[in-house]
């Protein structure tokens, strides 16, 4: 009986020990499996933060680049406008147009009867120049006096011609009456103010023009013909 009882006790003790070890191993395994989950969660948080920071950096840099581009564009636009305005006004260093700088032509205006012609002086020099005063015109060899200028046609500011640009002067030939002392003119001379060079200008029309020296008048050089100031 004692031997059997001892064997039974040993068996019970062994079973209890086995159950205890199994429980310990189970607890150890549960703790091990939960750690990777915690580790992954912690590792993912910095990555998400870095992504957000990177996005913020890119957005900030893009905004800065856009602002710089807008600023550069605004400066460029202002500069272009300013340069254009300055070129149009001209400066004291802009040379006065000489006869060699322009090509002078004549065309009839209105009519018939053709009582006026328009002189065009086009800048052919390739650079800007100032066209001052009025054309000094002599129609006939028998009348050496320059055609008088009409004061009201004088522009308020000097005429600055850029390369290729024209200026105009209206010229009265006669009153258009049949009793006038008109003379035929096929060519006439023009001088620019400040230049003694004589420019020969061909009169418009196949038969030339009819001029009454006593009635002839000329306007000043202007960028365009103006109603009122150029009516004479």
């Amino acid at each position: 009986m004692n031997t059997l009882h001892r064997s039974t006790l040993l068996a019970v003790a062994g079973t209890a020990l086995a159950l205890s070890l199994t429980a310990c191993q189970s607890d150890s395994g549960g703790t091990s499996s939960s750690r990777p989950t915690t580790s992954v969660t912690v590792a993912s948080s910095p990555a998400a933060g870095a992504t957000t920071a990177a996005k913020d950096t890119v957005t900030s840099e893009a905004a800065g680049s856009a602002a710089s581009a807008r600023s550069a564009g605004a400066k460029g636009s202002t500069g272009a406008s300013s340069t254009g305005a300055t070129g149009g006004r001209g400066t004291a260093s802009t040379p006065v147009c000489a006869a060699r700088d322009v090509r002078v032509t004549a065309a009839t205006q209105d009519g018939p009867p053709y009582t006026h012609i328009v002189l065009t002086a086009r800048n052919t020099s390739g650079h800007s120049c100032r066209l001052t005063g009025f054309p000094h015109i002599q129609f006939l060899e028998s009348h050496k006096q320059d055609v008088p200028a009409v004061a009201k046609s004088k522009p308020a500011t000097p005429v600055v011609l850029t390369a290729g640009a024209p200026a105009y002067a209206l010229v009265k030939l006669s009153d258009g009456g049949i009793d006038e002392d008109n003379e035929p003119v096929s060519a006439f001379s023009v001088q620019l103010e400040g230049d003694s060079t004589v420019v020969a200008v061909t009169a418009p029309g196949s038969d030339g023009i009819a001029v009454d020296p006593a009635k002839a008048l000329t306007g000043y050089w202007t960028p365009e013909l103006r109603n009122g100031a150029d009516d004479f």
Side-chain angles (χ1 to χ4, degrees), residues 11 39 50 92 113 144-145 153 171 179 226:
S39 176
K144 293 296 184 181
Q145 301 89 349
S153 68
V171 181
D179 295 330
R226 305 154 300 166

Side-chain angles (χ1 to χ4, degrees), residues 33-60:
S33 62
S34 64
R35 286 176 183 172
T37 302
T38 304
S39 176
V40 171
T41 302
V42 172
S44 64
S45 296
T51 302
T52 302
K55 287 181 180 179
D56 292 342
T57 301
V58 171
T59 303
S60 176

Side-chain angles (χ1 to χ4, degrees), residues 36-160:
T37 302
T38 304
S39 176
V40 171
T41 302
V42 172
S44 64
S45 296
T51 302
T52 302
K55 287 181 180 179
D56 292 342
T57 301
V58 171
T59 303
S60 176
E61 290 178 352
S65 299
S68 299
R70 287 194 298 270
S71 176
K75 290 180 180 178
S77 175
T78 303
S81 176
S82 175
T83 301
T86 302
R89 288 194 300 268
T91 63
S93 62
T94 304
V96 175
C97 296
R100 64 178 178 275
D101 297 324
V102 298
R103 179 173 179 265
V104 181
T105 57
T108 54
Q109 188 197 48
D110 301 329
Y114 295 104
T115 60
H116 292 73
I117 60 172
V118 176
L119 295 184
T120 301
R122 188 175 298 276
N123 183 356
T124 58
S125 66
H127 60 77
S128 296
C129 64
R130 289 181 290 123
L131 190 61
T132 60
F134 54 88
H136 295 263
I137 304 170
Q138 289 186 5
F139 281 117
L140 300 164
E141 287 292 331
S142 59
H143 294 78
K144 293 296 184 181
Q145 301 89 349
D146 289 348
V147 173
V150 178
K152 70 174 183 177
S153 68
K154 184 177 181 179
T157 57
V159 177
V160 177

